[in-house]
Amino acid sequence: MTRTIGILGSGQLGRMIALSAASLGMRAHIFAPDAATSPAGDVAYKTTTAAYDDEVALEAFAKSIDGVTSEFENVPSASLAILARHLPIVSPSIKALDTAQDRLSEKNMARSLGIATPDFWQIDSQSDLESALGHLNGKGVLKTRRDGYDGKGQMRVESGDDARAIYAEMGGKPLILESFVDFTCEASFLVARDGAGKICHFPAALNHHEAGILAHSTAPADLEDALITKGQEAVAAIASHLDLYGILAMESFIGTNGEIIFNEIAPRPHNSFHWSIEGLDCSQFEQLARIVGGLPMRTPSLRGGANSIWRMENLLGQHGPQIPTLQAQDDVSTHLYGKSEFRDGRKIGHITYQLFDSDDKSYKVV
Ligand code: AMP
């Protein structure tokens, strides 16, 4: 019988999971407040349009699916708990959602697992900020603990700054202050973990952000083997600690002494691995659909040979006019997310192509 996987969330990640599920012969059922007309809903077998805390709708959804995952981490973990009454196992796990929703919990977890982090301080009041700015030696980044994405809810600060003005500007929300990391590059590591606790690594990616938004990723990351092993050990330890069922990415900085410094996790497909659709024989989306749909994981290998290099570039709203030119290029794969409008600074798609020299700086999105 055809299996149906449930996906909480209606964005581009849900869309690409649903497309992979379809090629595996499965159906996708999207659950979100805007499911009916959404990037994921457009390619799904079925949609449920309901709030994430609608218990009746969640119960009905659970009964209509064979497995479930969440395409973003800000779904209340209580919703996953309701689904868990009817499904033997839920992805990415209640613990993974709870931890990934809060930057402070993420950093405390990393520290408890012995993974290096920037210095950080919990900020719940103006006086907390005053005292943390006193301890900060130089530059820092102040972030909202919850709901920040693509550089939103972040502010660069320095020791000696006016805590009162800054705290007021951040709207009195729970915050975390981090010391500014002087990094040589940013790298992300992705791991898949199935219901039996078996782990499968993806090749790491090197990432470049502009204005807090990922601009492009190149993979496999041109880093020393020992560093890759260290990153993979860290992300595997996190996955086990969180009882992960599905996939999880760890974003990190590579410090000036060549050390890995934890930044954050995402217990879901990650933008910096979108190149895996073309670059690997099992993409991050296929791997997740397999796990949730009850198929065995695959060990992904590089397409184009062991030495091939792949680059992904994001398309933001302002890049819309370039789409016809990109779509006309033989060596470029274009993915569009079916967004209803092209807003500046918002992701509307991405492109992937093979690189023949890891130093090639000829970007295609301008
Ligand atoms: P985040 O939302 O935490 O991933 O931050 C977005 C981007 O801002 C990161 O990928 C970095 O480029 C930059 N950034 C965030 N935190 C720090 C930090 N503590 N030190 C230096 N750069 C940072």
Side-chain angles (χ1 to χ4, degrees), residues 95-328:
K95 201 170 168 188
L97 278 191
D98 276 337
T99 307
Q101 281 170 6
D102 185 334
R103 291 181 187 278
L104 184 69
S105 311
E106 288 181 335
K107 292 234 163 43
N108 280 329
M109 171 200 63
R111 195 174 260 180
S112 76
L113 294 172
I115 303 166
T117 67
D119 289 334
F120 62 90
W121 296 268
Q122 174 175 354
I123 312 289
D124 291 318
S125 65
Q126 187 186 309
S127 69
D128 284 349
L129 182 59
E130 247 159 40
S131 131
L133 284 171
H135 288 100
L136 179 73
N137 186 14
K139 290 193 286 182
V141 187
L142 188 62
K143 303 177 180 178
T144 52
R145 278 170 56 184
R146 293 180 168 270
D147 296 329
Y149 65 97
D150 285 349
K152 293 190 173 52
Q154 298 196 11
M155 193 186 207
R156 298 281 169 97
V157 295
E158 259 180 75
S159 36
D161 278 354
D162 177 5
R164 205 168 80 107
I166 295 172
Y167 193 69
E169 198 171 327
M170 294 297 276
K173 295 189 183 125
L175 304 170
I176 180 171
L177 175 65
E178 300 173 12
S179 59
F180 190 86
V181 179
D182 196 12
F183 56 83
T184 53
C185 58
E186 294 187 70
S188 50
F189 296 84
L190 186 88
V191 76
R193 187 171 182 269
D194 69 11
K198 191 177 149 209
I199 288 271
C200 174
H201 289 288
F202 279 63
L206 284 186
N207 306 322
H208 176 75
H209 291 78
E210 279 163 21
I213 305 176
L214 182 68
H216 51 82
S217 295
T218 305
D222 186 12
L223 295 171
E224 283 177 20
D225 289 351
L227 209 58
I228 297 284
T229 304
K230 215 162 169 218
Q232 290 186 337
E233 283 170 359
V235 76
I238 293 171
S240 299
H241 174 79
L242 296 176
D243 304 323
L244 179 81
Y245 174 59
I247 63 175
L248 177 138
M250 175 183 79
E251 288 186 49
S252 65
F253 306 112
I254 308 300
T256 42
N257 297 323
E259 72 281 27
I260 292 182
I261 303 164
F262 175 94
N263 179 21
E264 62 178 353
I265 52 163
R268 53 163 169 81
H270 195 261
N271 193 177
S272 61
F273 290 89
H274 287 1
W275 56 271
S276 64
I277 298 173
E278 285 80 17
L280 297 177
D281 56 10
C282 176
S283 75
Q284 59 170 345
F285 303 104
E286 176 178 338
Q287 193 77 307
L288 181 57
R290 282 173 164 268
I291 294 170
V292 177
L295 293 175
M297 290 195 289
R298 284 174 73 191
T299 305
S301 31
L302 271 176
R303 286 208 179 108
N307 294 325
S308 63
I309 307 158
W310 292 86
R311 184 186 283 153
M312 186 277 325
E313 290 188 62
N314 268 331
L315 293 169
L316 306 180
Q318 63 268 32
H319 301 132
Q322 297 177 46
I323 290 171
T325 313
L326 293 165
Q327 281 179 322

Side-chain angles (χ1 to χ4, degrees), residues 37-70:
T37 51
S38 65
D42 281 355
V43 302
Y45 156 69
K46 202 168 170 188
T47 57
T48 295
T49 301
Y52 291 121
D53 59 359
D54 182 334
E55 198 166 335
V56 174
L58 283 167
E59 297 268 355
F61 176 61
K63 288 178 192 153
S64 77
I65 55 181
D66 301 296
V68 73
T69 192
S70 176

